[in-house]
PDB file of all heavy atoms in Angstrom:
ATOM      1  N   TRP A  12      64.624 147.269 -12.310  1.00 87.00           N
ATOM      2  CA  TRP A  12      63.767 146.189 -11.934  1.00 87.00           C
ATOM      3  C   TRP A  12      63.291 146.339 -10.501  1.00 87.00           C
ATOM      4  O   TRP A  12      62.263 145.795 -10.072  1.00 87.00           O
ATOM      5  CB  TRP A  12      64.371 144.850 -12.131  1.00 87.00           C
ATOM      6  CG  TRP A  12      65.654 144.721 -11.364  1.00 87.00           C
ATOM      7  CD1 TRP A  12      66.973 145.150 -11.835  1.00 87.00           C
ATOM      8  CD2 TRP A  12      65.875 144.291  -9.982  1.00 87.00           C
ATOM      9  NE1 TRP A  12      67.938 144.975 -10.723  1.00 87.00           N
ATOM     10  CE2 TRP A  12      67.283 144.409  -9.648  1.00 87.00           C
ATOM     11  CE3 TRP A  12      64.984 143.817  -9.041  1.00 87.00           C
ATOM     12  CZ2 TRP A  12      67.764 144.063  -8.366  1.00 87.00           C
ATOM     13  CZ3 TRP A  12      65.533 143.555  -7.788  1.00 87.00           C
ATOM     14  CH2 TRP A  12      66.925 143.613  -7.481  1.00 87.00           C
ATOM     15  N   VAL A  13      63.964 147.252  -9.683  1.00 85.00           N
ATOM     16  CA  VAL A  13      63.510 147.421  -8.250  1.00 85.00           C
ATOM     17  C   VAL A  13      62.247 148.299  -8.134  1.00 85.00           C
ATOM     18  O   VAL A  13      62.205 149.340  -8.656  1.00 85.00           O
ATOM     19  CB  VAL A  13      64.676 148.030  -7.467  1.00 85.00           C
ATOM     20  CG1 VAL A  13      64.296 148.299  -6.014  1.00 85.00           C
ATOM     21  CG2 VAL A  13      65.914 147.135  -7.465  1.00 85.00           C
ATOM     22  N   THR A  17      59.147 145.080  -4.728  1.00 87.00           N
ATOM     23  CA  THR A  17      60.400 144.431  -4.504  1.00 87.00           C
ATOM     24  C   THR A  17      60.846 144.546  -2.993  1.00 87.00           C
ATOM     25  O   THR A  17      61.122 143.601  -2.345  1.00 87.00           O
ATOM     26  CB  THR A  17      61.515 144.820  -5.421  1.00 87.00           C
ATOM     27  OG1 THR A  17      61.136 144.778  -6.785  1.00 87.00           O
ATOM     28  CG2 THR A  17      62.802 144.109  -5.274  1.00 87.00           C
ATOM     29  N   GLY A  28      62.831 134.747   7.367  1.00 85.00           N
ATOM     30  CA  GLY A  28      64.226 134.137   7.605  1.00 85.00           C
ATOM     31  C   GLY A  28      64.679 134.288   9.005  1.00 85.00           C
ATOM     32  O   GLY A  28      65.567 133.602   9.441  1.00 85.00           O
ATOM     33  N   GLY A  30      62.920 134.045  11.510  1.00 90.00           N
ATOM     34  CA  GLY A  30      62.000 133.306  12.394  1.00 90.00           C
ATOM     35  C   GLY A  30      60.789 133.972  12.948  1.00 90.00           C
ATOM     36  O   GLY A  30      60.053 133.420  13.713  1.00 90.00           O
ATOM     37  N   ALA A  33      54.445 134.516  10.040  1.00 92.00           N
ATOM     38  CA  ALA A  33      53.810 135.037   8.860  1.00 92.00           C
ATOM     39  C   ALA A  33      52.792 136.093   9.399  1.00 92.00           C
ATOM     40  O   ALA A  33      52.463 137.053   8.634  1.00 92.00           O
ATOM     41  CB  ALA A  33      53.203 134.014   8.041  1.00 92.00           C
ATOM     42  N   ALA A  37      52.523 139.768   7.845  1.00 95.00           N
ATOM     43  CA  ALA A  37      51.179 140.300   7.376  1.00 95.00           C
ATOM     44  C   ALA A  37      50.875 141.552   8.056  1.00 95.00           C
ATOM     45  O   ALA A  37      50.434 142.519   7.359  1.00 95.00           O
ATOM     46  CB  ALA A  37      50.017 139.247   7.563  1.00 95.00           C
ATOM     47  N   HIS A  42      48.430 143.265   5.441  1.00 94.00           N
ATOM     48  CA  HIS A  42      47.578 142.218   4.987  1.00 94.00           C
ATOM     49  C   HIS A  42      46.650 141.652   5.948  1.00 94.00           C
ATOM     50  O   HIS A  42      47.060 141.312   7.042  1.00 94.00           O
ATOM     51  CB  HIS A  42      48.432 141.063   4.333  1.00 94.00           C
ATOM     52  CG  HIS A  42      49.333 141.458   3.334  1.00 94.00           C
ATOM     53  ND1 HIS A  42      50.572 140.882   3.025  1.00 94.00           N
ATOM     54  CD2 HIS A  42      49.253 142.346   2.433  1.00 94.00           C
ATOM     55  CE1 HIS A  42      51.088 141.475   1.983  1.00 94.00           C
ATOM     56  NE2 HIS A  42      50.380 142.440   1.512  1.00 94.00           N
ATOM     57  N   THR A  48      50.413 137.180   2.445  1.00 92.00           N
ATOM     58  CA  THR A  48      51.841 137.298   2.733  1.00 92.00           C
ATOM     59  C   THR A  48      52.704 136.028   2.320  1.00 92.00           C
ATOM     60  O   THR A  48      53.730 136.162   1.738  1.00 92.00           O
ATOM     61  CB  THR A  48      51.974 137.595   4.329  1.00 92.00           C
ATOM     62  OG1 THR A  48      51.218 138.646   4.696  1.00 92.00           O
ATOM     63  CG2 THR A  48      53.516 138.035   4.600  1.00 92.00           C
ATOM     64  N   VAL A  51      52.365 135.314  -1.686  1.00 88.00           N
ATOM     65  CA  VAL A  51      52.837 136.325  -2.663  1.00 88.00           C
ATOM     66  C   VAL A  51      54.089 136.923  -2.244  1.00 88.00           C
ATOM     67  O   VAL A  51      54.955 137.237  -3.124  1.00 88.00           O
ATOM     68  CB  VAL A  51      51.827 137.386  -2.800  1.00 88.00           C
ATOM     69  CG1 VAL A  51      52.285 138.421  -3.807  1.00 88.00           C
ATOM     70  CG2 VAL A  51      50.489 136.768  -3.323  1.00 88.00           C
ATOM     71  N   LYS A  56      62.332 130.110  -2.196  1.00 61.00           N
ATOM     72  CA  LYS A  56      63.279 129.390  -3.044  1.00 61.00           C
ATOM     73  C   LYS A  56      64.492 129.059  -2.158  1.00 61.00           C
ATOM     74  O   LYS A  56      65.659 128.929  -2.555  1.00 61.00           O
ATOM     75  CB  LYS A  56      63.750 130.379  -4.085  1.00 61.00           C
ATOM     76  CG  LYS A  56      62.639 130.760  -5.071  1.00 61.00           C
ATOM     77  CD  LYS A  56      63.091 131.768  -6.022  1.00 61.00           C
ATOM     78  CE  LYS A  56      61.938 132.189  -6.865  1.00 61.00           C
ATOM     79  NZ  LYS A  56      61.367 133.480  -6.661  1.00 61.00           N
ATOM     80  N   ILE A  58      66.735 126.330  -0.139  1.00 69.00           N
ATOM     81  CA  ILE A  58      67.079 124.933  -0.125  1.00 69.00           C
ATOM     82  C   ILE A  58      67.383 124.418   1.319  1.00 69.00           C
ATOM     83  O   ILE A  58      68.105 125.117   1.887  1.00 69.00           O
ATOM     84  CB  ILE A  58      68.293 124.736  -1.012  1.00 69.00           C
ATOM     85  CG1 ILE A  58      67.937 125.122  -2.389  1.00 69.00           C
ATOM     86  CG2 ILE A  58      68.712 123.201  -0.985  1.00 69.00           C
ATOM     87  CD1 ILE A  58      69.215 125.052  -3.375  1.00 69.00           C
ATOM     88  N   THR A  60      69.036 121.873   3.409  1.00 80.00           N
ATOM     89  CA  THR A  60      70.012 120.698   3.399  1.00 80.00           C
ATOM     90  C   THR A  60      69.611 119.507   4.212  1.00 80.00           C
ATOM     91  O   THR A  60      69.927 118.362   3.969  1.00 80.00           O
ATOM     92  CB  THR A  60      71.309 121.159   3.783  1.00 80.00           C
ATOM     93  OG1 THR A  60      71.314 121.765   5.113  1.00 80.00           O
ATOM     94  CG2 THR A  60      71.937 122.207   2.877  1.00 80.00           C
ATOM     95  N   ARG A  68      70.156 109.333   4.068  1.00 87.00           N
ATOM     96  CA  ARG A  68      70.053 108.193   5.108  1.00 87.00           C
ATOM     97  C   ARG A  68      69.140 107.120   4.616  1.00 87.00           C
ATOM     98  O   ARG A  68      69.408 105.927   4.804  1.00 87.00           O
ATOM     99  CB  ARG A  68      69.570 108.875   6.538  1.00 87.00           C
ATOM    100  CG  ARG A  68      70.669 109.517   7.191  1.00 87.00           C
ATOM    101  CD  ARG A  68      70.170 109.720   8.717  1.00 87.00           C
ATOM    102  NE  ARG A  68      69.073 110.549   8.922  1.00 87.00           N
ATOM    103  CZ  ARG A  68      69.009 111.856   8.877  1.00 87.00           C
ATOM    104  NH1 ARG A  68      70.099 112.683   8.734  1.00 87.00           N
ATOM    105  NH2 ARG A  68      67.763 112.378   9.067  1.00 87.00           N
ATOM    106  N   VAL A  70      68.327 106.365   1.520  1.00 85.00           N
ATOM    107  CA  VAL A  70      68.979 105.664   0.447  1.00 85.00           C
ATOM    108  C   VAL A  70      70.041 104.724   0.964  1.00 85.00           C
ATOM    109  O   VAL A  70      70.150 103.512   0.561  1.00 85.00           O
ATOM    110  CB  VAL A  70      69.528 106.556  -0.700  1.00 85.00           C
ATOM    111  CG1 VAL A  70      70.343 105.809  -1.703  1.00 85.00           C
ATOM    112  CG2 VAL A  70      68.390 107.329  -1.415  1.00 85.00           C
ATOM    113  N   PHE A  76      70.289  96.964   2.714  1.00 56.00           N
ATOM    114  CA  PHE A  76      69.527  95.743   2.837  1.00 56.00           C
ATOM    115  C   PHE A  76      69.372  94.919   1.504  1.00 56.00           C
ATOM    116  O   PHE A  76      68.801  93.870   1.473  1.00 56.00           O
ATOM    117  CB  PHE A  76      68.073  96.057   3.273  1.00 56.00           C
ATOM    118  CG  PHE A  76      68.042  96.451   4.757  1.00 56.00           C
ATOM    119  CD1 PHE A  76      67.710  97.818   5.040  1.00 56.00           C
ATOM    120  CD2 PHE A  76      68.350  95.692   5.709  1.00 56.00           C
ATOM    121  CE1 PHE A  76      67.645  98.259   6.425  1.00 56.00           C
ATOM    122  CE2 PHE A  76      68.330  96.035   7.070  1.00 56.00           C
ATOM    123  CZ  PHE A  76      68.015  97.295   7.402  1.00 56.00           C
TER     124      PHE A  76
END
Side-chain angles (χ1 to χ4, degrees):
W12 58 271
V13 175
T17 308
H42 297 152
T48 308
V51 177
K56 297 174 184 113
I58 297 171
T60 56
R68 284 195 301 275
V70 170
F76 290 113

